[in-house]
Amino acid sequence: MKEHLTVVKHPLIQHKLTLMREKDTSTAVFRQLLREISQLLAYEVTYELDMTTRRIETPLQEMDAPVLAGRKLALISILRAGNGLLDGMLELIPSARVGFVGLYRDEKTLKPVQYYFKVPDYLDERMVIVVDPMLATGNSSAAAVDLLKQSGAKNIRFLCLLAAPEGVARMKEAHPDVPIVTAALDERLNDKGYILPGLGDAGDRMYGTK
Ligand code: URA
């Protein structure tokens, strides 16, 4: 991907995103919409998967038909909201390998601290797609990508639903080699680190917690 930031403006994505933003949208509908949008975004973010051909026989003749090349791609969910994007993507790419990164913010240092990290092997040979619905400050996203690079990942993409300019800038500074794909670039962060206009807390909205 040449662009550092790709905003996917497909009408179906934009319409579903508007429904997700609305404060009265129920947990069940929010989850279903996220699942649908994640499949549409998966289409965009996997556009550059390597291809090869395989000799096959159709009922009429032989042909060299296109198939995906190399190792299965790795989807890495940043807990816990990343799992909403992950579920939909797995429906489209059922053979993907899956990893999880758990980070919390240390209240004293305000830095992200790792509490869980489990990723597939051979990350250096896979396309690695990091999923987190909200790219807000970008601190946890940048830290997650740091950890993945330490595990060997080289070909990384970051997929989110909403991005704040602050988060995009932070990622560009820390990881200019990691393209970001999002459904919308919102206005800014508020003083609590929420994206405006945003959709609130993605994890709470998808799991019905508060
Ligand atoms: N995380 C969320 O869930 N929402 C935001 O607006 C920012 C970070």
Side-chain angles (χ1 to χ4, degrees), residues 98-135:
V98 178
F100 296 93
V101 180
L103 298 163
Y104 71 89
R105 198 165 73 139
D106 184 294
E107 290 309 328
K108 283 201 188 103
T109 64
L110 301 183
K111 296 227 168 87
V113 182
Q114 169 191 332
Y115 67 85
Y116 190 77
F117 188 76
K118 184 87 180 168
V119 296
D121 53 12
Y122 303 110
L123 275 194
D124 54 326
E125 296 175 27
R126 304 181 190 277
M127 179 187 280
V128 174
I129 302 175
V130 183
V131 297
D132 188 352
M134 312 298 271
L135 177 56

Side-chain angles (χ1 to χ4, degrees), residues 172-185:
K172 190 165 189 179
E173 166 196 273
H175 300 292
D177 56 320
V178 175
I180 298 167
V181 174
T182 184
L185 179 62

Side-chain angles (χ1 to χ4, degrees), residues 4-208:
H4 183 252
L5 179 71
T6 302
V7 180
V8 189
K9 297 205 167 122
H10 192 287
L12 286 175
I13 295 182
Q14 295 305 316
H15 180 81
K16 289 175 194 293
L17 179 57
T18 295
L19 299 178
M20 290 182 76
R21 288 183 190 271
E22 282 184 304
K23 65 179 174 45
D24 293 329
T25 295
S26 71
T27 301
V29 172
F30 187 92
R31 221 166 19 218
Q32 178 61 28
L33 289 164
L34 182 57
R35 181 179 292 261
E36 292 165 6
I37 291 188
S38 60
Q39 295 183 12
L40 296 163
L41 290 171
Y43 176 84
E44 183 72 27
V45 77
T46 53
Y47 205 77
E48 288 178 336
L49 275 171
D50 287 337
M51 301 292 295
T52 183
T53 57
R54 193 168 70 210
R55 192 79 186 157
I56 61 161
E57 273 181 62
T58 77
L60 299 177
Q61 68 171 60
E62 290 196 348
M63 71 175 284
D64 291 315
V67 286
L68 296 174
R71 289 200 187 270
K72 304 279 185 281
L73 62 81
L75 303 177
I76 309 294
S77 169
I78 302 186
L79 298 172
R80 78 184 152 148
N83 285 12
L85 276 178
L86 173 69
D87 291 346
M89 289 187 76
L90 277 176
E91 283 181 18
L92 199 68
I93 319 164
S95 59
R97 303 304 189 242
V98 178
F100 296 93
V101 180
L103 298 163
Y104 71 89
R105 198 165 73 139
D106 184 294
E107 290 309 328
K108 283 201 188 103
T109 64
L110 301 183
K111 296 227 168 87
V113 182
Q114 169 191 332
Y115 67 85
Y116 190 77
F117 188 76
K118 184 87 180 168
V119 296
D121 53 12
Y122 303 110
L123 275 194
D124 54 326
E125 296 175 27
R126 304 181 190 277
M127 179 187 280
V128 174
I129 302 175
V130 183
V131 297
D132 188 352
M134 312 298 271
L135 177 56
T137 63
N139 289 335
S140 58
S141 312
V145 172
D146 278 337
L147 293 170
L148 293 167
K149 285 185 174 173
Q150 284 163 26
S151 295
K154 294 190 179 84
N155 180 11
I156 308 175
R157 282 152 178 66
F158 188 90
L159 179 66
C160 57
L161 192 61
L162 293 188
E166 295 89 333
V168 173
R170 172 85 181 88
M171 281 290 279
K172 190 165 189 179
E173 166 196 273
H175 300 292
D177 56 320
V178 175
I180 298 167
V181 174
T182 184
L185 179 62
D186 272 14
E187 282 166 26
R188 63 182 174 90
L189 297 178
N190 71 9
D191 56 5
K192 294 199 168 76
Y194 280 90
I195 298 176
L196 295 177
L199 50 72
D201 186 297
D204 283 346
R205 294 206 59 192
M206 104 183 43
Y207 295 120

